[in-house]
Amino acid sequence: MEYVFPPHAQPSLAVAGNHARFPVRRIFCVGRNYAEHAREMGALDQASGFEPPFFFMKPADAIVSGDGELQVNYPPLTKNLHHEVEMVVALSAGGANVTVDAANALIFGYAVGLDLTRRDVQAKAKEKGHPWDMGKGFDQSAVCSEIHPASSVGHPSSGGICLKVNGEMRQDGDLSDMGWNVAEIIANLSTMVRLEAGDLIYTGTPAGVGPVVPGDLLEAELAGVASLRARIV
Ligand code: MN
């Protein structure tokens, strides 16, 4: 194959216990998957009850990953860059209209990630009914740990998911509080697009999102599964 310029490198993630890497195809994200976070964003009231989750995307090359302390450049256009700690599901098989019972068979493994968000840009888009892309899908907006295969960590459905900023606990949630569980997310998403091997799904954030500034150290942990450290520079 000849190209008019050299193609970009394939975005990929390290896999725990394996020298081979996980090639990233697409990054899907679930919005409002924890009731407490929906409440803090003003998207949940007692009268209407829980608004179902929904999806948005980031480009595959928005991934930030690697060994040790990751470096994330503070992005342009924002004065309110927010952290959202999330469990990330990595697929090694695809399908359309996948049933909830068949969903786990698509999963290669799990990671912990940060859905970095230009909250002020997102808020402006929401207000105008515009797309969220520039609030969510900017460069280096998808921080991710190495992937831990389901063959070694199983399919976690409960357990702590937390984020410390400069040593102080900011988000302290539990996977069991997800509105849609992972199998339901996969089933639902696969009615909208055909899922493929290499797809990542960020599964939503618990409450406690807030701003970070250059110099901050973010430490994310999915208890017993994965962890990451990232410095905003
Ligand atoms: Mn999120």
Side-chain angles (χ1 to χ4, degrees), residues 29-33 37 56 58 83-86 114-117 119 122 132 136 202-206 209:
C29 304
V30 182
R32 281 175 213 149
N33 201 23
H37 173 62
F56 60 91
K58 295 174 186 262
H83 55 75
E84 297 191 356
V85 65
E86 314 206 353
L114 300 173
D115 164 16
L116 293 178
T117 302
R119 193 70 75 198
Q122 182 199 30
W132 285 14
K136 287 288 196 178
Y202 280 62
T203 57
T205 195
V209 301

Side-chain angles (χ1 to χ4, degrees), residues 157-225:
S157 59
S158 65
I161 176 164
C162 63
L163 179 78
K164 289 179 184 170
V165 178
N166 302 327
E168 182 194 319
M169 189 69 84
R170 289 272 192 93
Q171 293 188 263
D172 189 8
D174 195 288
L175 295 179
S176 60
D177 292 328
M178 288 169 68
W180 280 341
N181 64 36
V182 170
E184 290 165 340
I185 291 168
I186 290 172
N188 201 303
L189 182 56
S190 75
T191 66
M192 302 178 196
V193 293
R194 184 187 168 81
L195 294 170
E196 297 291 350
D199 289 341
L200 297 179
I201 306 171
Y202 280 62
T203 57
T205 195
V209 301
V212 289
V213 296
D216 283 350
L217 177 66
L218 286 67
E219 296 172 283
E221 194 177 0
L222 184 59
V225 178

Side-chain angles (χ1 to χ4, degrees), residues 20-216:
R21 296 179 67 84
F22 179 93
V24 177
R25 186 168 186 272
R26 293 173 294 190
I27 303 174
F28 296 98
C29 304
V30 182
R32 281 175 213 149
N33 201 23
Y34 291 76
E36 278 304 315
H37 173 62
R39 194 170 287 121
E40 76 182 348
M41 296 303 292
L44 188 151
D45 62 61
Q46 296 306 330
S48 64
F50 187 63
E51 191 179 324
F54 55 89
F55 296 98
F56 60 91
M57 296 184 72
K58 295 174 186 262
D61 63 3
I63 283 285
V64 179
S65 195
D67 291 332
E69 189 177 294
L70 306 175
Q71 304 264 299
V72 179
N73 292 296
Y74 195 91
L77 290 182
T78 185
K79 291 189 169 65
N80 198 18
L81 179 67
H82 272 207
H83 55 75
E84 297 191 356
V85 65
E86 314 206 353
M87 179 165 77
V88 181
V89 179
L91 304 186
S92 55
N97 302 311
V98 177
T99 64
V100 167
D101 288 342
N104 278 1
L106 274 54
I107 298 172
F108 175 76
Y110 296 86
V112 67
L114 300 173
D115 164 16
L116 293 178
T117 302
R118 294 193 285 213
R119 193 70 75 198
D120 41 1
V121 175
Q122 182 199 30
K124 204 167 288 178
K126 276 185 185 176
E127 186 186 301
K128 295 187 173 179
H130 288 172
W132 285 14
D133 301 45
M134 291 303 116
K136 287 288 196 178
F138 51 93
D139 298 340
Q140 300 193 318
S141 59
V143 183
C144 198
S145 73
E146 65 180 353
I147 298 175
H148 296 263
S151 55
S152 57
V153 298
H155 295 281
S157 59
S158 65
I161 176 164
C162 63
L163 179 78
K164 289 179 184 170
V165 178
N166 302 327
E168 182 194 319
M169 189 69 84
R170 289 272 192 93
Q171 293 188 263
D172 189 8
D174 195 288
L175 295 179
S176 60
D177 292 328
M178 288 169 68
W180 280 341
N181 64 36
V182 170
E184 290 165 340
I185 291 168
I186 290 172
N188 201 303
L189 182 56
S190 75
T191 66
M192 302 178 196
V193 293
R194 184 187 168 81
L195 294 170
E196 297 291 350
D199 289 341
L200 297 179
I201 306 171
Y202 280 62
T203 57
T205 195
V209 301
V212 289
V213 296
D216 283 350

